[in-house]
Amino acid sequence: MEILRTVNEVRQWVQAQRVAGRAIHFVPTMGYFHEGHLSLMRRAKADGGAVIVSIFVNPLQFGANEDLDRYPRDFERDRQMAESVGVEAIFYPDMAEMYPSGYQTEVRVKELSKPLCGKSRPGHFEGVATVVLKLFNIVTPNRAYFGMKDYQQLRVIQQLVRDMNLPIEIVPCPIVREPDGLAMSSRNVYLTPEERRAATVLYRSLQWAQAQVESGERDAQKLRAGVLERIAAEPRARIDYVEVVDAETLLPVERIERPTLIALAVFFGRARLIDNCVVAI
Ligand code: PAF
């Protein structure tokens, strides 16, 4: 497996793959891999391309009081995990390679960046859109793989690709969960054992909402109130938001009539966890 540290090294590697007639399948990440990341890499591999993963903890998408400094990192572990699922190259740039001095351009996907996490993390999706556009321009993938846990991120990137006419197929991949339902996240390492147990309330609440829709509930406010009530019953949970929105526009809905996203962000101690489900009728 190749470890590529510079944009030029990536370009040369990509060129060699293309000459060999191979498609480029790309998994952008911030590292500290878990089964969720590996599921994206396995899917990219199964789809038959040369798989390249990027690892870059992007400062542009962290707010001033967020966890940039303590975001977990372990390159050697990541390298081994990626290799074990057949990844052929890792792009592992340093800060100066991605944002050399004098860097000044930012990209904004206007409407989709506003609601949900955009409200509590101002500037976050501009940081994501900017680094993903840069990575896409460096790697020039045929396909790129994104997990649905970061559902709003996925929508922002789908819109970016459409608006900027990028010839890249975005492949959404299902959320991977622990056996007790907690969505896999690099940030789960921040949880104490008690918080880790308490955090299972998130998936249970989403499952409750899903079951309600399956048995005919169409009132978005009732679903939202029910999820809020269930999470609020857990004393270790501090709710950032629970929203019921159109799965495409991310705008609030009154009734469940089209594919609808139930999305939430909740703090347990210093970990801010997100989760969601899409209900379709
Ligand atoms: O989902 C992530 O890990 C990051 O937001 C991404 C897409 C790699 C951009 O930094």
Side-chain angles (χ1 to χ4, degrees):
M1 189 174 58
E2 305 273 343
I3 308 299
L4 311 168
R5 300 302 310 262
T6 68
V7 172
N8 271 337
E9 285 169 12
V10 175
R11 291 204 198 285
Q12 281 169 20
W13 183 85
V14 167
Q15 173 67 12
Q17 303 308 314
R18 291 221 200 281
V19 167
R22 304 180 75 197
I24 306 296
H25 292 176
F26 178 41
V27 183
T29 81
M30 298 206 300
Y32 211 70
F33 295 155
H34 50 65
E35 274 300 316
H37 296 110
L38 296 185
S39 75
L40 304 178
M41 298 174 206
R42 287 194 189 102
R43 173 73 198 274
K45 187 84 190 164
D47 286 352
V51 180
I52 175 166
V53 171
S54 64
I55 299 179
F56 179 64
V57 181
N58 171 37
L60 227 56
Q61 70 190 73
F62 287 79
N65 299 317
E66 293 185 355
D67 55 347
L68 174 61
D69 293 340
R70 59 192 166 94
Y71 196 83
R73 295 163 165 90
D74 189 340
F75 179 74
E76 190 42 39
R77 176 174 165 274
D78 287 348
R79 195 190 62 72
Q80 286 174 20
M81 288 170 84
E83 188 147 41
S84 76
V85 293
V87 168
E88 289 169 59
I90 297 181
F91 178 37
Y92 182 45
D94 65 15
M95 196 69 78
E97 190 67 15
M98 290 302 280
Y99 301 116
S101 83
Y103 185 88
Q104 49 183 302
T105 304
E106 279 198 32
V107 184
R108 180 161 62 103
V109 178
K110 285 194 278 189
E111 298 308 321
L112 286 169
S113 298
K114 280 183 193 160
L116 309 176
C117 289
K119 270 192 203 152
S120 32
R121 304 187 69 189
H124 170 68
F125 289 113
E126 287 76 1
V128 169
T130 302
V131 81
V132 169
L133 182 57
K134 281 174 65 70
L135 290 167
F136 282 176
N137 282 330
I138 296 164
V139 176
T140 63
N142 301 84
R143 293 184 184 172
Y145 296 78
F146 290 87
M148 289 180 71
K149 181 172 75 66
D150 299 295
Y151 188 92
Q152 185 172 13
Q153 166 171 286
L154 168 69
R155 287 293 303 118
V156 164
I157 286 159
Q158 287 173 327
Q159 190 70 37
L160 173 77
V161 162
R162 181 172 143 183
D163 290 352
M164 294 292 105
N165 307 97
L166 302 178
I168 300 172
E169 184 190 336
I170 300 300
V171 183
C173 299
I175 299 177
V176 178
R177 298 182 179 281
E178 302 284 356
D180 63 5
L182 183 68
M184 298 231 179
S185 164
S186 305
R187 291 189 166 97
N188 290 349
V189 295
Y190 299 150
L191 300 167
T192 65
E194 296 73 32
E195 289 161 358
R196 171 66 188 77
R197 271 190 292 278
T200 58
V201 72
L202 303 182
Y203 184 53
R204 270 185 280 121
S205 305
L206 290 172
Q207 277 187 309
W208 169 84
Q210 212 150 11
Q212 290 294 109
V213 175
E214 274 158 26
S215 52
E217 182 60 78
R218 295 290 175 266
D219 184 331
Q221 275 316 317
K222 281 196 188 144
L223 290 174
R224 180 169 178 270
V227 173
L228 278 169
E229 186 187 309
R230 277 163 178 76
I231 299 173
E234 170 48 63
R236 287 191 168 81
R238 188 162 58 81
I239 297 170
D240 180 356
Y241 69 77
V242 173
E243 299 286 352
V244 181
V245 298
D246 184 283
E248 209 178 302
T249 65
L250 308 184
L251 295 173
V253 296
E254 283 179 15
R255 295 193 58 75
I256 316 296
E257 282 161 350
R258 294 167 26 80
T260 301
L261 176 76
I262 307 177
L264 52 82
V266 177
F267 285 93
F268 291 85
R270 55 187 198 156
R272 180 178 178 279
L273 304 184
I274 58 174
D275 202 348
N276 69 75
C277 65
V278 177
V279 289
I281 53 167

Coordinates of all heavy atoms in Angstrom, one line a residue, residues 26-31 37 40 54-59 61-62 71 99 121 124-125 127-129 131-132 135 145-147 150 153 157 186-187, ligand 1:
F26 N -12.8 6.6 -4.1 CA -12.2 7.4 -3.0 C -13.1 7.4 -1.8 O -14.3 7.6 -1.8 CB -12.1 8.8 -3.6 CG -11.5 9.8 -2.7 CD1 -10.4 9.6 -1.8 CD2 -12.0 11.1 -2.7 CE1 -9.9 10.5 -1.0 CE2 -11.5 12.1 -1.8 CZ -10.5 11.8 -1.0
V27 N -12.4 7.3 -0.6 CA -13.0 7.4 0.7 C -12.3 8.5 1.5 O -11.3 8.3 2.0 CB -13.0 6.0 1.5 CG1 -13.7 6.2 2.8 CG2 -13.6 4.9 0.6
P28 N -12.9 9.7 1.5 CA -12.3 10.8 2.3 C -12.6 10.6 3.8 O -13.8 10.3 4.2 CB -13.0 12.0 1.8 CG -14.2 11.6 1.0 CD -14.1 10.1 0.8
T29 N -11.6 10.7 4.7 CA -11.9 10.5 6.1 C -11.0 11.4 6.9 O -10.1 12.1 6.4 CB -11.5 9.1 6.6 OG1 -10.0 9.0 6.8 CG2 -11.9 8.0 5.6
M30 N -11.3 11.5 8.2 CA -10.4 12.2 9.2 C -9.7 11.2 10.1 O -9.1 11.5 11.1 CB -11.2 13.1 10.1 CG -11.9 14.2 9.2 SD -12.3 15.7 10.1 CE -13.3 15.2 11.4
G31 N -9.7 9.9 9.6 CA -8.9 8.9 10.3 C -9.6 8.4 11.6 O -10.7 8.6 11.8
H37 N -16.0 3.3 8.8 CA -15.0 3.7 7.7 C -14.7 2.4 6.9 O -14.7 2.5 5.7 CB -13.7 4.1 8.3 CG -13.8 5.4 9.1 ND1 -13.7 5.5 10.5 CD2 -14.0 6.7 8.7 CE1 -13.8 6.7 10.9 NE2 -14.0 7.5 9.8
L40 N -17.1 1.6 4.2 CA -17.0 2.4 3.0 C -15.9 1.9 2.1 O -16.0 1.8 0.9 CB -16.7 3.9 3.4 CG -17.6 4.6 4.3 CD1 -17.1 6.0 4.6 CD2 -19.1 4.7 3.8
S54 N -8.3 9.1 2.0 CA -7.5 10.2 2.5 C -7.7 10.3 4.1 O -8.8 10.0 4.6 CB -7.9 11.6 1.9 OG -9.3 11.9 2.2
I55 N -6.7 10.7 4.7 CA -6.8 10.9 6.2 C -6.3 12.4 6.4 O -5.1 12.7 6.2 CB -5.9 10.0 7.0 CG1 -6.3 8.5 6.7 CG2 -5.9 10.3 8.5 CD1 -5.5 7.5 7.5
F56 N -7.2 13.2 6.8 CA -6.8 14.6 7.1 C -7.8 15.2 8.1 O -9.0 15.3 7.8 CB -6.7 15.4 5.8 CG -6.4 16.9 6.0 CD1 -5.1 17.2 6.5 CD2 -7.3 17.9 5.7 CE1 -4.7 18.5 6.7 CE2 -6.9 19.2 5.9 CZ -5.7 19.6 6.4
V57 N -7.3 15.6 9.3 CA -8.2 16.2 10.2 C -8.2 17.7 9.8 O -7.3 18.4 10.1 CB -7.7 16.0 11.7 CG1 -8.7 16.7 12.7 CG2 -7.6 14.5 12.0
N58 N -9.4 18.1 9.3 CA -9.5 19.4 8.6 C -9.8 20.5 9.5 O -11.0 20.6 10.0 CB -10.6 19.2 7.5 CG -11.0 20.5 6.8 OD1 -10.1 21.3 6.6 ND2 -12.3 20.6 6.6
P59 N -8.9 21.4 9.9 CA -9.2 22.4 10.9 C -10.3 23.3 10.5 O -11.0 23.8 11.3 CB -7.9 23.2 11.0 CG -7.1 22.8 9.8 CD -7.5 21.5 9.3
Q61 N -13.2 22.8 9.4 CA -14.6 22.3 9.8 C -14.8 22.3 11.3 O -15.8 21.8 11.7 CB -14.9 21.0 9.1 CG -14.2 19.8 9.6 CD -14.4 18.6 8.6 OE1 -13.9 18.5 7.5 NE2 -15.2 17.7 9.1
F62 N -13.8 22.7 12.1 CA -14.0 22.7 13.5 C -14.2 24.1 14.0 O -13.4 25.0 13.5 CB -12.7 22.2 14.2 CG -12.5 20.7 14.1 CD1 -12.0 20.1 12.9 CD2 -12.9 19.8 15.1 CE1 -11.9 18.7 12.7 CE2 -12.7 18.4 15.0 CZ -12.2 17.9 13.8
Y71 N -9.1 15.6 18.8 CA -9.7 14.6 17.9 C -8.7 13.4 17.8 O -7.5 13.6 17.6 CB -9.9 15.2 16.5 CG -10.8 14.4 15.7 CD1 -12.2 14.5 15.8 CD2 -10.3 13.4 14.8 CE1 -13.1 13.7 15.1 CE2 -11.2 12.6 14.1 CZ -12.6 12.8 14.2 OH -13.4 12.0 13.5
Y99 N -3.4 23.5 3.1 CA -3.6 24.9 3.2 C -2.3 25.7 3.3 O -1.9 26.1 4.4 CB -4.5 25.2 4.5 CG -5.8 24.5 4.5 CD1 -6.1 23.6 5.4 CD2 -6.8 24.9 3.5 CE1 -7.4 22.9 5.4 CE2 -8.0 24.2 3.5 CZ -8.3 23.3 4.4 OH -9.5 22.6 4.4
R121 N -23.2 24.6 14.6 CA -21.7 24.6 14.2 C -21.5 25.5 13.0 O -21.2 25.1 11.9 CB -21.3 23.1 13.8 CG -21.6 22.1 14.9 CD -20.9 20.8 14.5 NE -19.5 20.8 14.6 CZ -18.7 19.8 14.1 NH1 -19.2 18.7 13.6 NH2 -17.4 19.9 14.2
H124 N -19.1 25.1 9.8 CA -18.7 23.7 9.7 C -18.8 23.1 8.3 O -17.9 22.6 7.7 CB -19.6 22.8 10.7 CG -19.4 21.3 10.4 ND1 -18.2 20.7 10.7 CD2 -20.2 20.4 9.9 CE1 -18.3 19.4 10.4 NE2 -19.6 19.2 9.9
F125 N -20.0 23.4 7.7 CA -20.2 22.8 6.3 C -19.4 23.5 5.2 O -19.1 22.9 4.2 CB -21.7 22.6 6.0 CG -22.4 21.6 6.8 CD1 -23.3 21.9 7.8 CD2 -22.0 20.2 6.7 CE1 -23.9 20.9 8.6 CE2 -22.6 19.2 7.4 CZ -23.5 19.6 8.4
G127 N -16.4 24.4 5.8 CA -15.1 23.7 6.0 C -15.1 22.4 5.3 O -14.2 22.0 4.7
V128 N -16.3 21.7 5.5 CA -16.4 20.3 4.8 C -16.4 20.5 3.3 O -15.7 19.8 2.6 CB -17.7 19.6 5.3 CG1 -17.9 18.4 4.5 CG2 -17.6 19.3 6.8
A129 N -17.3 21.4 2.8 CA -17.4 21.6 1.3 C -16.1 22.0 0.7 O -15.7 21.5 -0.3 CB -18.5 22.6 1.0
V131 N -12.9 21.5 1.9 CA -11.8 20.4 1.9 C -12.2 19.3 0.9 O -11.4 18.7 0.2 CB -11.5 19.9 3.3 CG1 -12.5 18.9 3.8 CG2 -10.1 19.3 3.3
V132 N -13.5 19.0 0.9 CA -14.0 17.9 0.0 C -13.8 18.3 -1.5 O -13.3 17.5 -2.3 CB -15.4 17.4 0.3 CG1 -15.9 16.5 -0.8 CG2 -15.5 16.7 1.6
L135 N -10.1 17.9 -2.1 CA -9.7 16.5 -2.2 C -10.2 15.9 -3.6 O -9.5 15.1 -4.2 CB -10.3 15.7 -1.1 CG -9.7 16.0 0.3 CD1 -10.5 15.4 1.4 CD2 -8.2 15.4 0.4
Y145 N -17.3 7.8 -1.6 CA -18.2 7.1 -0.6 C -18.3 7.8 0.7 O -17.3 8.2 1.3 CB -17.6 5.7 -0.3 CG -17.5 4.8 -1.6 CD1 -16.5 5.0 -2.6 CD2 -18.5 3.9 -1.9 CE1 -16.5 4.3 -3.8 CE2 -18.5 3.2 -3.1 CZ -17.5 3.4 -4.0 OH -17.5 2.7 -5.2
F146 N -19.6 8.0 1.1 CA -19.9 8.8 2.3 C -20.9 8.0 3.1 O -21.9 7.5 2.6 CB -20.4 10.2 2.0 CG -19.4 11.1 1.4 CD1 -19.2 11.1 0.0 CD2 -18.6 11.9 2.1 CE1 -18.2 11.9 -0.6 CE2 -17.7 12.8 1.6 CZ -17.5 12.7 0.2
G147 N -20.7 8.0 4.5 CA -21.6 7.4 5.4 C -22.8 8.2 5.6 O -22.8 9.5 5.7
D150 N -23.5 11.0 8.8 CA -23.4 12.4 8.5 C -24.3 12.8 7.4 O -23.8 13.1 6.3 CB -21.9 12.7 8.2 CG -21.0 12.4 9.4 OD1 -21.2 13.0 10.5 OD2 -20.2 11.5 9.3
Q153 N -24.0 16.2 5.8 CA -22.8 16.3 5.1 C -23.0 15.7 3.7 O -22.6 16.2 2.7 CB -21.7 15.6 5.8 CG -20.4 15.3 5.0 CD -19.3 14.8 5.9 OE1 -18.7 15.6 6.6 NE2 -19.0 13.5 5.8
I157 N -22.6 17.5 0.1 CA -21.7 17.1 -1.0 C -22.4 16.7 -2.3 O -21.9 17.0 -3.3 CB -20.8 16.0 -0.4 CG1 -19.8 16.7 0.6 CG2 -20.0 15.3 -1.5 CD1 -19.2 15.8 1.6
S186 N -15.9 8.1 15.5 CA -14.6 8.2 16.1 C -14.7 8.9 17.5 O -13.9 8.8 18.4 CB -13.6 9.1 15.2 OG -13.6 8.4 14.0
R187 N -15.8 9.7 17.6 CA -16.0 10.5 18.8 C -16.5 9.6 20.0 O -16.6 10.1 21.1 CB -16.9 11.7 18.6 CG -16.3 12.8 17.7 CD -17.1 14.0 17.7 NE -16.4 15.1 17.1 CZ -16.4 15.5 15.8 NH1 -17.2 14.9 14.9 NH2 -15.7 16.6 15.4
Ligands
PAF1 O1 -16.8 12.8 7.4 C1 -15.6 13.2 7.5 O2 -14.8 12.4 8.1 C2 -15.2 14.5 7.1 O3 -16.1 15.5 7.3 C3 -14.7 14.6 5.7 C4 -15.7 14.3 4.7 C5 -13.5 13.7 5.5 C6 -14.2 16.0 5.4 O4 -13.1 16.4 6.2

